[in-house]
């Protein structure tokens, strides 16, 4: 899995005429943003999503009226010739899930609020007997839904969100991947014991590190308990534009590249049909580059733990390695337009010695010259086939040489992993900067591929820096590769160089004009480097997904907004027209000396 692409084996889940898992193609999906009581609005959005290429369409279903209206939406679509399966998204009310299961092809429930009350971030103490009683209550209620689904041929998604874990789970397991996984496994064990196979599973978070580690742990836990349920992948609250695409490609792509995932949704704060082409670009890139690639003969370092990776120990060379934040390297200095505010690369190759493996005889001389010049760094470009005993001996003698790991392999993540694991196994502590090179004409394709290929290396703790290039250095006068490198590091939570916006895609629960609000907040705060701002349409995931945000803007009611500092609500039910101004005032007051 680490070095050679092997799709995870899953069983088939029946979802009308579009089954999931079991070797079927990766399925794409999106979600409507209209109120589910608006039949024509939802039908029109469903059609746009379907015609964009989605295999499933999800609709928020918060109450009995919304659940009953799914029938009208379904019938209108079927009368117009659209047979794409519909998915009801249910929170807080198991009775609504029961109704929806009689109408649509699939129902998503959230373990964090299926029968547990809405979380309040309170610590709850349970005796073993009390905890067992809670699980028995969960089983009794959930089995009623399974019975309805079995009768109507309805599939389920057990969809855990990091932002809506119950107080019960948080109190027992803490805010950990173990708690996230257990929230899911409680339901899966019931499905397994009741012989109900038509279940897909998802674990989502806005923090890509949490998302990837939790899904990895879920895969390992399911395998240990003899389960092979298909997986739905997604990064919640990814945002919009290039940043939203990179964040989604980083989290989803790292898992797809390891053969994990049967269906995906790219959640963008944009029109829902805009999500599908991005999902297709990501899925097709992974399929095109990984399937049937040449075997990579490599062995994992014994210290590496896939579900709980730690940063590979390296020596410190200038600003590279030694536990410092990963650097950005560029092949040459870019003279960017004066008005651009993007950060500049930490190192430029044309100002530092850059050796090849056939130039090792010059290594000592290059290192001495760099020391005399003070702060100079010597790079050694290295591909996996050229990592010989002679190269290892040179690196052992000169730990201050930085490896610039490159690859021409169709599975770049696998071969770059192989280089770093080889160094780790041989106790070499040279820092590693990974260099990924592409030939895309389209910037979005470049961004998606780079995020998908590079992200796992940072989630794994294997890389100390990143260099992204596309075409020749002269073909990138605006420094796109440099900008994308910083964006990938931010998306993988390695280094923050600009304001981060944790914004949801919106749905029928959204209680204000999401996109115009995001634009106004961004315009007023984008200069606040290092700040994290959550912009959430409703309370379902709001405070939870903003766990590490500095401030939150959350829909509290129709045209009403509540403001948060961290997880603490500091202003409630502000009129939407005034809420952005109140948020800015809060930030400014906190930043005054």
């Amino acid at each position: 899995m680490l070095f050679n692409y092997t799709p995870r084996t899953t069983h088939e889940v029946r979802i009308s005429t579009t089954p999931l898992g079991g070797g079927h193609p990766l399925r794409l999906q999106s979600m409507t943003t209209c109120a589910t009581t608006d039949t024509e609005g939802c039908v029109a959005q469903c059609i746009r999503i379907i015609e964009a290429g989605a295999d499933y369409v999800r609709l928020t279903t918060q109450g009995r009226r919304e659940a009953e209206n799914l029938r009208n939406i379904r019938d209108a679509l079927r009368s117009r010739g659209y047979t794409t399966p519909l998915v009801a998204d249910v929170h807080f009310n198991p009775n609504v899930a029961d109704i929806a299961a009689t109408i649509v092809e699939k129902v998503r429930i959230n373990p964090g609020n299926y029968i547990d009350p809405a979380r309040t971030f309170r610590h709850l103490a349970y005796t073993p007997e009390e905890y067992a009683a809670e699980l028995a209550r969960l089983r009794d209620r959930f089995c009623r839904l399974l019975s309805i689904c079995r009768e109507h041929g309805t599939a389920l998604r057990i969809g855990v969100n990091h932002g809506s874990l119950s107080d019960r789970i948080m109190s027992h397991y803490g805010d950990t991947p173990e708690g996230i996984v257990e929230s899911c496994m409680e339901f899966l064990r019931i499905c397994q014991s009741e012989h109900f196979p038509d279940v897909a599973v998802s674990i989502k978070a806005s923090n890509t590190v949490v998302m990837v580690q939790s899904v990895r742990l879920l895969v390992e836990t399911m395998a240990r308990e003899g389960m092979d349920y298909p997986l739905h992948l997604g990064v919640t609250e990814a945002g919009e534009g290039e940043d939203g695409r990179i964040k989604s490609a980083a989290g989803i792509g790292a898992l797809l590249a390891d053969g994990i995932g049967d269906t995906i949704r790219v959640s963008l704060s944009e029109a829902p049909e805009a999500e599908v082409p991005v999902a297709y670009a990501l899925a097709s890139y992974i399929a095109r580059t990984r399937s049937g690639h040449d075997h990579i003969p490599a062995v994992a370092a014994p210290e590496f733990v896939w579900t709980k990776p730690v940063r590979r120990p390296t020596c410190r060379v200038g600003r590279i390695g030694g536990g410092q934040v990963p650097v950005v390297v560029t092949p040459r200095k870019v003279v960017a337009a004066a008005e651009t505010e993007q950060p500049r690369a930490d190192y430029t190759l044309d100002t530092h010695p850059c050796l090849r493996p056939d130039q090792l005889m010059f290594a000592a001389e290059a290192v001495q010259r760099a020391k005399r010049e003070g702060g100079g760094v010597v790079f050694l470009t290295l591909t996996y086939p050229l990592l010989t005993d002679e190269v290892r001996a040179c690196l052992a003698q000169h730990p201050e040489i930085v490896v610039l790991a490159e690859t021409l392999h169709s599975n770049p993540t696998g071969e770059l992993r192989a280089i770093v694991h080889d160094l780790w196994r041989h106790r070499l502590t040279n820092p590693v900067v990974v260099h990924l090179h592409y030939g895309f004409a389209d910037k979005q394709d470049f961004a998606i591929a780079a995020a998908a290929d590079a992200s796992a290396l940072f989630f794994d703790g294997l890389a100390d820096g990143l260099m992204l290039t596309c075409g020749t250095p002269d073909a990138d006068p605006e420094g796109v590769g440099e900008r994308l490198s910083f964006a990938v590091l931010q998306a993988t939570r390695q280094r923050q160089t600009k304001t981060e916006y944790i914004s949801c895609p919106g749905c029928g629960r959204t209680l204000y004009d999401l996109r115009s609000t995001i634009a106004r907040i961004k315009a007023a705060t984008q200069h606040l480097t290092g700040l994290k701002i959550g912009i959430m349409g409703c309370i379902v995931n709001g405070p939870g997904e903003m766990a590490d945000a500095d401030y939150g803007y959350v829909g509290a009611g129709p045209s009403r907004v509540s403001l948060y500092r961290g997880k603490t609500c500091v202003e409630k039910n502000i009129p939407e027209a005034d809420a952005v101004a109140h948020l800015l005032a809060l930030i400014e007051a906190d930043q005054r000396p």
Side-chain angles (χ1 to χ4, degrees):
M1 180 191 296
L2 284 179
F3 311 109
N4 296 285
Y5 178 75
T6 306
R8 173 175 170 262
T9 300
T10 61
H11 70 256
E12 179 184 280
V13 169
R14 296 170 297 172
I15 308 174
S16 185
T17 57
T18 313
L20 171 67
H24 290 287
L26 189 69
R27 305 300 191 189
L28 311 180
Q29 53 185 281
S30 184
M31 185 173 182
T32 60
T33 58
C34 284
T36 310
T37 50
D38 177 2
T39 303
E40 283 307 310
C42 284
V43 168
Q45 271 197 338
C46 286
I47 290 173
R48 292 197 296 272
I49 292 168
I50 293 165
E51 292 186 345
D55 298 293
Y56 311 122
V57 180
R58 185 155 47 112
L59 302 96
T60 191
T61 314
Q62 61 264 54
R64 179 180 293 271
R65 283 198 312 142
E66 288 81 3
E68 294 289 0
N69 202 51
L70 290 172
R71 192 183 313 277
N72 296 326
I73 296 168
R74 181 202 64 190
D75 292 347
L77 285 167
R78 302 296 179 258
S79 70
R80 300 181 200 188
Y82 294 95
T83 60
T84 300
L86 303 181
V87 183
D89 190 72
V90 179
H91 296 270
F92 301 116
N93 194 335
N95 297 324
V96 171
D98 294 347
I99 297 168
T102 68
I103 300 170
V104 294
E105 288 80 9
K106 185 179 176 186
V107 174
R108 178 271 175 108
I109 60 169
N110 184 341
N113 55 40
Y114 180 67
I115 63 164
D116 284 315
R119 73 260 182 271
T120 59
F121 305 107
R122 292 184 302 118
H123 182 80
L124 304 175
Y126 292 91
T127 66
E129 294 76 19
E130 289 171 337
Y131 203 86
E134 287 297 301
L135 293 182
R137 185 169 71 93
L138 162 63
R139 181 185 185 89
D140 179 66
R141 184 62 186 87
F142 185 48
C143 282
R144 285 159 58 187
L145 175 60
L146 293 182
S147 178
I148 294 169
C149 289
R150 199 189 310 273
E151 179 184 352
H152 292 270
T154 307
L156 281 176
R157 170 153 73 98
I158 309 302
V160 180
N161 273 11
H162 179 220
S164 54
L165 293 177
S166 68
D167 288 340
R168 177 175 62 83
I169 286 288
M170 291 278 282
S171 298
H172 204 68
Y173 293 92
D175 187 7
T176 62
E178 288 77 11
I180 296 169
V181 168
E182 184 60 24
S183 181
C184 180
M185 292 301 298
E186 289 179 350
F187 283 74
L188 288 184
R189 292 184 187 114
I190 298 171
C191 293
Q192 190 90 328
S193 66
E194 293 296 314
H195 306 290
F196 186 87
D198 290 327
V199 180
V201 190
S202 69
I203 286 178
K204 295 187 178 184
S206 62
N207 182 324
T208 53
V209 175
V210 171
M211 175 241 184
V212 169
Q213 288 191 12
S214 299
V215 173
R216 287 178 175 182
L217 182 60
L218 175 65
V219 167
E220 189 176 83
T221 304
M222 284 198 290
R224 189 168 58 247
E225 298 194 23
M227 300 179 185
D228 60 355
Y229 293 99
L231 281 164
H232 169 115
L233 304 181
V235 177
T236 59
E237 290 81 40
E240 60 174 0
E242 185 176 83
D243 289 341
R245 285 155 174 77
I246 289 173
K247 192 172 184 180
S248 291
I252 299 170
L255 294 166
L256 289 180
D258 281 346
I260 297 168
D262 302 274
T263 177
I264 66 174
R265 181 200 174 188
V266 172
S267 298
L268 299 174
S269 302
E270 302 176 18
E273 62 269 21
E275 298 178 346
V276 184
V278 182
Y280 179 80
L282 174 59
S284 61
Y285 173 71
I286 295 295
R288 185 172 68 252
T289 56
R290 269 51 172 189
S291 299
H293 69 71
D294 293 338
H295 180 73
I296 301 171
V299 177
E303 297 88 348
F304 178 74
V305 180
W306 185 63
T307 54
K308 289 187 176 181
V310 296
R311 185 112 173 242
R312 169 181 164 257
T314 59
C315 64
R316 180 170 182 159
V317 182
R319 284 178 282 168
I320 310 176
Q324 300 178 93
V325 296
V327 298
V328 168
V329 177
T330 186
R332 68 176 184 84
K333 191 172 183 64
V334 173
V335 182
E339 63 269 16
T340 63
E341 297 181 1
Q342 72 179 59
R344 299 265 64 90
D346 302 285
Y347 288 92
T348 306
L349 285 187
D350 61 9
T351 61
H352 295 274
C354 194
L355 305 176
R356 301 187 307 269
D358 61 352
Q359 297 174 314
L360 293 179
M361 69 286 293
F362 304 120
E365 179 185 339
V367 168
Q368 288 303 316
R369 186 169 69 250
K371 286 181 178 178
R372 288 195 302 270
E373 293 173 355
V377 172
V378 178
F379 292 91
L380 173 67
T381 61
L382 186 63
T383 61
Y384 189 51
L386 295 181
L387 181 49
T388 62
D389 287 340
E390 182 185 7
V391 171
R392 295 187 191 98
C394 177
L395 293 175
Q397 188 174 1
H398 298 290
E400 65 271 37
I401 290 179
V402 176
V403 172
L404 186 64
E406 300 182 332
T407 179
L408 298 174
H409 201 279
S410 64
N411 182 359
T413 305
E415 191 166 77
L416 290 171
R417 274 173 164 165
I419 294 174
V420 187
H421 276 269
D422 187 281
L423 298 177
W424 201 348
R425 285 194 307 111
H426 287 88
R427 302 293 186 267
L428 300 174
T429 60
N430 306 73
V432 174
V433 173
V434 295
H435 176 205
L436 289 158
H437 180 79
Y438 302 92
F440 294 112
D442 183 85
K443 290 180 183 178
Q444 176 175 282
D445 290 340
F446 179 18
I448 288 172
D453 290 335
S455 58
L457 300 163
F458 289 99
F459 294 138
D460 289 355
L462 301 180
D464 302 289
L466 179 62
M467 184 167 83
L468 298 176
T469 56
C470 193
T472 64
D474 291 335
D476 189 14
E478 299 175 359
V480 173
E482 199 173 324
R483 187 187 76 240
L484 292 181
S485 296
F486 281 107
V488 169
L489 292 180
Q490 178 138 340
T492 53
R493 295 296 180 103
Q494 305 297 305
R495 180 176 181 179
Q496 192 169 357
T497 50
K498 55 186 174 182
T499 314
E500 180 167 347
Y501 300 96
I502 304 169
S503 63
C504 74
C507 67
R509 293 177 182 267
T510 302
L511 299 166
Y512 58 86
D513 187 333
L514 184 67
R515 270 173 266 170
S516 66
T517 301
I518 292 171
R520 283 187 289 145
I521 293 175
K522 277 191 169 184
T525 61
Q526 59 187 354
H527 63 290
L528 300 173
T529 300
L531 207 63
K532 298 187 185 79
I533 300 176
I535 309 170
M536 309 303 225
C538 72
I539 202 67
V540 170
N541 298 317
E545 290 295 2
M546 299 184 311
D548 63 350
D550 300 289
Y551 299 95
Y553 182 108
V554 180
S559 299
R560 293 277 165 171
V561 171
S562 293
L563 299 182
Y564 287 73
R565 183 189 290 112
K567 287 184 179 181
T568 304
C569 184
V570 293
E571 287 192 69
K572 292 183 178 180
N573 298 317
I574 306 163
E576 180 192 347
D578 304 326
V580 173
H582 280 239
L583 173 64
L584 298 179
L586 174 64
I587 294 171
E588 289 172 5
D590 285 353
Q591 292 193 332
R592 291 190 196 115

